[in-house]
Amino acid sequence: MLTKVEVRTDQGALLTLPLQDISQGLIVESIEGLDPVKATIVSSSFAQLDGEQYQSARREKRNIIINLALEPDYAVGSVQGLRNLLYQFFMTKQRVRLRFFSVGQPTVDIEGRIESFDAPKFAKEPTAKISILCFNPDFFTPDLVTINGGTVATGTETTHQYPGSVETGFGFKLFPNRDISEFTIYHRPSDDSLRALEFQSPTPMIAGDVLAISTQPGNKYATLTRAGVVASILYGISPQSNWINLFPGPNKLRVYAEGAAVPYSIEYTTKFGGL
């Protein structure tokens, strides 16, 4: 059950909207747009084949609509005073971060921009209707999850349970403690299919280097930090590699490299398609 919503602006201002609480004169009547967003599914037909063939799918942006009732304590405030308060947080085109608190569910955030703010001045019962467009439709936990491990020269896999409801990319960092020029990240989700990301550098990495690889959609990269200098090393990733995502449920991971173990870390954000 949803208990509270926090609204934070880019300037750091914070507005708290507790549900079932009228002490500040703002009553949350409803919040729309928290369910999974609509998917656009592309298919095509072929001659002499019944039906159609699936091609691809994508989820659309999220539109969150907050409906508020304005009931000030007229001894110390007014409806216009509440409107002015809301203007500070919901001015159109402004970016905001919403944080949702629920009983028995993780706290999650989502970012968006204010599309519209409607608060009729001559209504018998003053209200405010705020529309927020979230171009990334996923809710995400505010804290990163970190997995630490070491490379193996065997087939040993480690299982990590991903609690999100939609897939997520991750940031991988390798911390060489010896010369190493190649390794492979193997991933096996719950359907038991095998994905691999292969890396091979023309010159060995040395102790003290830091290799960073991001598989986040829209922010994929590979960099090498040596003596404080960061350089792209994207060419080290094989063109046949999979940019691995973690999927809901168990994920078996293995980072294979010949020789002694080399430490690494994996960081990711847990994502949810709806509340």
Side-chain angles (χ1 to χ4, degrees), residues 40-44 52-58:
T40 297
I41 299 176
V42 179
S43 62
S44 56
E52 296 186 350
Q53 294 288 321
Y54 167 81
Q55 298 296 333
S56 64
R58 59 183 297 274

Side-chain angles (χ1 to χ4, degrees), residues 26-275:
L26 300 173
I27 303 173
V28 180
E29 292 189 328
S30 67
I31 301 178
E32 304 170 34
L34 302 182
D35 294 326
V37 299
K38 179 182 178 181
T40 297
I41 299 176
V42 179
S43 62
S44 56
S45 59
F46 296 90
Q48 299 180 347
L49 289 178
D50 295 334
E52 296 186 350
Q53 294 288 321
Y54 167 81
Q55 298 296 333
S56 64
R58 59 183 297 274
R59 290 178 297 129
E60 301 297 332
K61 63 180 180 289
R62 182 180 298 278
N63 185 196
I64 293 177
I65 298 175
I66 302 176
N67 294 291
L68 301 174
L70 310 182
E71 294 189 9
D73 181 350
Y74 288 99
V76 295
S78 65
V79 171
Q80 187 58 48
L82 291 178
R83 286 197 190 96
N84 292 338
L85 171 65
L86 293 175
Y87 289 157
Q88 299 176 37
F89 295 90
F90 298 112
M91 186 54 62
T92 52
K93 90 174 184 179
Q94 178 172 279
R95 184 172 63 177
V96 293
R97 173 175 290 206
L98 305 178
R99 177 165 293 179
F100 295 87
F101 297 82
S102 303
V103 176
Q105 298 293 328
T107 298
V108 295
D109 293 356
I110 194 167
E111 293 183 351
R113 289 191 178 270
I114 309 303
E115 179 190 30
S116 64
F117 183 109
D118 298 319
K121 286 184 169 54
F122 300 102
K124 184 177 181 180
E125 297 182 358
T127 61
K129 181 177 182 180
I130 301 143
S131 174
I132 305 169
L133 295 181
C134 305
F135 302 101
N136 183 340
D138 295 330
F139 299 94
F140 58 91
T141 54
D143 299 319
L144 289 172
V145 177
T146 302
I147 306 170
N148 294 308
T151 62
V152 297
T154 65
T156 303
E157 297 176 321
T158 58
T159 301
H160 181 74
Q161 190 77 19
Y162 171 62
S165 60
V166 294
E167 66 273 13
T168 185
F170 57 80
F172 173 86
K173 288 186 178 180
L174 188 74
F175 306 97
N177 53 7
R178 60 176 177 84
D179 289 3
I180 179 173
S181 59
E182 58 184 79
F183 64 89
T184 303
I185 305 174
Y186 291 101
H187 170 242
R188 195 188 304 274
S190 56
D191 65 0
D192 214 34
S193 59
L194 184 63
R195 296 168 172 83
L197 189 152
E198 301 177 2
F199 179 88
Q200 184 171 13
S201 174
T203 57
M205 293 175 284
I206 61 176
D209 288 350
V210 177
L211 173 69
I213 298 174
S214 171
T215 69
Q216 292 283 359
N219 188 34
K220 297 175 182 177
Y221 62 80
T223 61
L224 180 69
T225 303
R226 176 175 293 177
V229 179
V230 181
S232 174
I233 197 167
L234 191 61
Y235 56 81
I237 296 179
S238 168
Q240 286 74 43
S241 291
N242 302 113
W243 290 91
I244 297 169
N245 286 331
L246 300 179
F247 290 88
N251 292 262
K252 296 180 180 179
L253 298 169
R254 175 167 64 103
V255 183
Y256 176 84
E258 295 183 353
V262 177
Y264 69 80
S265 69
I266 292 175
E267 288 186 339
Y268 70 84
T269 300
T270 306
K271 297 181 179 181
F272 299 88
L275 296 185

Side-chain angles (χ1 to χ4, degrees), residues 9-22:
T9 67
D10 282 347
Q11 293 72 39
L14 177 66
L15 174 67
T16 301
L17 297 172
L19 277 68
Q20 310 299 327
D21 185 345
I22 63 172

